[in-house]
């Protein structure tokens, strides 16, 4: 009985020390991070890694993923361009994962350029990509992900694939298992 009690006390002490350390780290992070300072108490602030257009296109090219724009340009402030400026690393990794898992040819038709709907998990904020429709990607999404209503499917990792009339609008909350 003493052995169980002693073990329980050691686990409780370790848990307390770990919690205190986490609280200190959280306070220290908030003091040095203006974004964390602006968050409401109890709010989790997640840092994301942003890429330049050049960094993103290098990764996409290396993965065999193409992109196109109706304006044949990459200016983030022009809605007819396809830009990857300030895209999240996890979003590009999500595209790489989709390409690898599906074996489909992927062509991105929308990135972080202006002209898309606003919101926290928006194109502009680096969370979304638009893909051209193809039989391969249509079948892959519909056969491998869970339908959640309204022409939307959810991957096991939580990313959302929304079938719009002329493209797939994908929200990447994470890299999809990279």
């Amino acid at each position: 009985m003493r052995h169980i009690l002693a073990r329980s006390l050691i686990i409780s002490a370790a848990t307390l020390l770990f919690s205190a350390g986490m609280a200190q780290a959280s306070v220290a992070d908030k003091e040095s991070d203006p974004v964390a300072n602006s968050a409401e108490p109890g709010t989790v602030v997640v840092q994301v890694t942003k890429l330049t257009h050049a960094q993103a296109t290098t990764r996409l090219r290396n993965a065999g993923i193409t992109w196109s724009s109706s304006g044949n340009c990459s200016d983030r402030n022009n809605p007819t361009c396809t830009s990857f400026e300030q895209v999240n690393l996890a979003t590009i990794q999500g595209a790489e994962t989709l390409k690898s898992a599906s074996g489909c040819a992927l062509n991105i038709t929308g990135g972080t350029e202006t002209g898309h709907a606003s919101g926290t998990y928006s194109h502009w904020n680096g969370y979304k990509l638009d893909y051209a429709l193809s039989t391969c990607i249509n079948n892959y999404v519909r056969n491998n992900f869970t339908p959640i209503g309204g022409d939307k499917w959810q991957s096991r990792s939580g990313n959302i694939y929304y079938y719009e009339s002329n493209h797939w609008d994908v929200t990447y909350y994470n890299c999809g298992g990279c």
Side-chain angles (χ1 to χ4, degrees):
M1 180 72 171
R2 265 190 252 174
H3 177 66
I4 294 172
L5 181 58
R7 191 175 193 180
S8 180
L9 287 172
I10 290 169
I11 292 171
S12 295
T15 302
L16 183 60
L17 287 173
F18 179 76
S19 296
M22 292 302 289
Q24 279 185 324
S26 182
V27 169
D29 290 345
K30 281 192 170 202
E31 289 171 357
S32 63
D33 185 351
V35 174
N37 275 332
S38 66
E40 294 293 320
T43 301
V44 175
V45 176
V46 178
Q47 295 290 333
V48 294
T49 300
K50 298 291 187 177
L51 299 179
T52 65
H53 183 80
Q55 290 169 324
T57 56
T58 296
R59 290 186 70 115
L60 294 169
R61 190 176 297 109
N62 290 341
I65 300 169
T66 61
W67 60 94
S68 58
S69 71
S70 58
N72 197 27
C73 51
S74 61
D75 181 354
R76 180 168 160 84
N77 295 304
N78 181 339
T80 67
C81 296
T82 298
S83 174
F84 302 113
E85 192 65 37
Q86 294 297 302
V87 70
N88 296 339
L89 171 60
T91 300
I92 297 301
Q93 290 171 322
E96 294 166 339
T97 299
L98 178 61
K99 167 74 173 158
S100 173
S102 70
C104 298
L106 295 180
N107 182 53
I108 299 171
T109 60
T112 60
E113 65 281 348
T114 191
H116 299 280
S118 62
T120 301
Y121 298 103
S122 64
H123 283 272
W124 183 262
N125 287 336
Y127 289 91
K128 288 185 165 217
L129 294 175
D130 289 342
Y131 295 100
L133 298 179
S134 73
T135 301
C136 184
I137 198 66
N138 296 351
N139 290 339
Y140 181 80
V141 170
R142 291 179 175 137
N143 293 329
N144 290 281
F145 300 151
T146 304
I148 57 174
D151 287 330
K152 293 181 182 179
W153 285 260
Q154 186 170 27
S155 68
R156 286 179 293 286
S157 63
N159 297 324
I160 305 294
Y161 291 73
Y162 180 29
Y163 179 82
E164 296 188 355
S165 62
N166 61 353
H167 67 277
W168 283 98
D169 179 273
V170 182
T171 306
Y172 288 103
Y173 299 105
N174 57 65
C175 67
C178 62

